[in-house]
């Protein structure tokens, strides 16, 4: 798991679909990245519904210092104002530069799909070569109800009949993947 060749291939493939990929040391660096990007984009909040425990305390502290609102639940009530969604990916697929996120909660689905910018944290040891290498893990996730597996490759994109590409119509305009050197969870 997380073989150097898988990590390198994941980065190459993800970047080929306009995903910004950055390797960071751990969660604290990932939180700093999320806050800095949100501020640069003029955002007012970060939706992070799956961060818990001491990690949530750290993220809350960083957001408070930077006058950002941290949204952790009831995101449906704030759909129109979510600037940055911060999530943890369950797996990465090197072959396609794809994230796999088990979005069992509505709040997690909202953070991944309805934010303007989605930042996904991915521990490097969770990057596999292809979907076949994840067969057992994916089958186990699909047995647990409710099951809503998201396979995310780049920002949302669509094209009309004349092949005019538009970014961000059906989801985030930007996808940032932060590959964590250390798990930290």
């Amino acid at each position: 798991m997380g073989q150097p060749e898988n990590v390198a291939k994941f980065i190459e493939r993800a970047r080929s679909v306009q995903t910004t990929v950055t390797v960071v040391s751990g969660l604290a660096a990932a939180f700093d990245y999320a806050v800095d990007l949100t501020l640069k984009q003029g955002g007012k909040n970060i939706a992070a519904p799956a961060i818990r425990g001491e990690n949530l305390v750290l993220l809350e502290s960083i957001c408070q210092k930077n006058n950002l609102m941290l949204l952790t639940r009831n995101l449906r009530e704030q759909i129109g104002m979510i600037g940055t969604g911060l999530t943890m990916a369950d797996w990465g697929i090197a072959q396609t530069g794809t994230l796999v996120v088990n979005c069992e909660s509505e709040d997690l689905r909202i953070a991944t799909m309805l934010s303007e910018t989605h930042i996904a944290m991915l521990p490097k040891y969770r990057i596999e070569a292809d979907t076949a290498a994840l067969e057992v893990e994916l089958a186990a996730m699909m047995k647990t109800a409710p099951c809503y597996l998201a396979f995310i490759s780049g920002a949302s994109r669509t094209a009309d009949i004349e092949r005019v590409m538009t970014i961000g119509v059906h989801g985030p305009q930007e996808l940032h993947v932060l590959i964590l050197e250390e798990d930290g969870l």
Side-chain angles (χ1 to χ4, degrees):
M1 290 205 253
Q3 300 296 323
E5 62 272 8
N6 289 344
V7 175
K9 189 174 197 175
F10 178 90
I11 292 170
E12 173 193 338
R13 295 296 167 92
R15 286 179 175 161
S16 75
V17 290
Q18 289 77 46
T19 298
T20 301
V21 183
T22 306
V23 178
V24 297
S25 59
L27 281 178
F31 294 163
D32 286 338
Y33 181 101
V35 167
D36 289 345
L37 180 63
T38 301
L39 291 172
K40 284 178 190 167
Q41 294 177 333
K44 305 276 188 246
N45 61 56
I46 295 176
I51 308 297
R52 303 273 185 264
E54 63 187 44
N55 296 324
L56 179 59
V57 172
L58 176 60
L59 181 57
E60 284 174 332
S61 171
I62 296 169
C63 285
Q64 259 184 331
K65 283 186 223 172
N66 290 280
N67 296 316
L68 290 174
M69 182 186 310
L70 181 60
L71 309 172
T72 59
R73 60 179 189 261
N74 301 321
L75 298 185
R76 177 187 285 257
E77 296 169 10
Q78 299 162 43
I79 283 177
M81 61 180 267
I82 299 172
T84 302
L86 179 63
T87 67
M88 180 64 71
D90 293 289
W91 296 99
I93 302 171
Q95 181 181 45
T96 56
T98 299
L99 297 171
V100 179
V101 182
N102 187 0
C103 295
E104 68 280 353
S105 77
E106 179 183 63
D107 284 336
L108 192 52
R109 288 190 296 275
I110 289 170
T112 61
M113 295 172 33
L114 297 179
S115 58
E116 291 186 28
T117 299
H118 177 202
I119 301 172
M121 300 174 290
L122 174 64
K124 75 174 183 179
Y125 75 90
R126 290 189 154 258
I127 299 174
E128 291 290 351
D130 53 31
T131 52
L134 288 174
E135 180 180 0
V136 172
E137 290 83 359
L138 293 173
M141 282 193 259
M142 288 188 280
K143 287 181 182 177
T144 305
C147 179
Y148 186 99
L149 286 179
F151 289 75
I152 303 168
S153 300
S156 165
R157 62 189 68 235
T158 190
D160 63 16
I161 198 164
E162 295 174 1
R163 298 184 185 154
V164 175
M165 181 68 69
T166 305
I167 304 293
V169 173
H170 303 292
Q173 295 175 359
E174 292 183 28
L175 175 62
H176 293 250
V177 175
L178 304 179
I179 298 177
L180 304 176
E181 290 285 346
E182 298 173 9
D183 185 14
L185 293 179

